[in-house]
Amino acid sequence: MELAVGSTNPVKIDAVERTLERYEPTVIAVDVDSGVDEQPRSIAETVTGAENRARRALAATDADYGVGLEGGVARLEGTPGLSLVMWGAVTDGNRMERGGGPTLRLPESVAREVADGAELGPVMDDLLGTEDVAEREGAAGALTAGLTDRTQALGDAVASSFGPFVTEYYDTDH
């Protein structure tokens, strides 16, 4: 199985490889534009970014599937504060499936900066005294003390969006 991932971020590539390892995938990293802001600020924008990455990665290759992963922030109805959200999208060229990863509330100090226009990655780097946290444990890892990390969180989005292609439960959907 050949998968084109719409990113060259090593964490996103690793999330796809680890999550789908039982299928022994060949994973091709494709540098594509998400078509959304660097910091998506709603679930709709985050999902759109994942879909665009999946479509564009598949179009640039002869892979069996295109995979797009996107992290964003959103205000969720019924939940206080600003939350980190992660979404995946998978396409085979005919059908597009989407699935989310974990959602977690951002600390108020981080949420304030992001709401004022900053990107989450640099805000987290400032908070943690690190560089490129988004290419390692990510905000998810830092904010859960390692109970999850960005690879695992994005992997959940991969599993949720790829599942419909490998189970029979969706075959009769119209």
Side-chain angles (χ1 to χ4, degrees):
M1 175 186 310
E2 201 167 81
L3 304 165
V5 178
S7 178
T8 58
N9 183 316
V11 173
K12 291 182 178 183
I13 305 307
D14 193 31
V16 173
E17 289 174 339
R18 284 188 192 188
T19 303
L20 301 177
E21 70 182 333
R22 75 170 74 163
Y23 300 103
E24 300 177 1
T26 300
V27 177
I28 304 160
V30 184
D31 188 14
V32 298
D33 183 1
S34 69
V36 298
D37 288 339
E38 185 70 27
Q39 177 64 76
R41 295 181 184 278
S42 68
I43 290 175
E45 188 178 12
T46 305
V47 170
T48 296
E51 291 171 343
N52 289 342
R53 288 179 183 278
R55 276 190 205 94
R56 291 170 181 173
L58 184 63
T61 66
D62 290 327
D64 301 306
Y65 299 96
V67 180
L69 293 166
E70 195 74 31
V73 296
R75 295 204 181 273
L76 306 175
E77 186 177 335
T79 303
L82 190 63
S83 293
L84 168 62
V85 297
M86 293 173 219
W87 279 85
V90 175
T91 185
D92 62 3
N94 295 313
R95 165 175 150 202
M96 177 76 70
E97 296 290 345
R98 300 140 195 92
T103 299
L104 60 128
R105 185 180 64 81
L106 295 173
E108 191 51 43
S109 61
V110 172
R112 257 193 317 274
E113 287 188 58
V114 173
D116 287 343
E119 291 177 32
L120 180 59
V123 171
M124 290 302 299
D125 281 333
D126 288 347
L127 177 69
L128 302 170
T130 59
E131 288 184 24
D132 299 323
V133 71
E135 294 192 5
R136 292 190 314 281
E137 75 273 14
L143 297 175
T144 63
L147 292 173
T148 191
D149 62 23
R150 191 163 191 238
T151 302
Q152 182 177 337
L154 288 169
D156 287 345
V158 171
S160 297
S161 55
F162 197 73
F165 287 101
V166 294
T167 65
E168 72 276 5
Y169 306 112
Y170 297 86
D171 290 346
T172 60
D173 283 359
H174 298 288

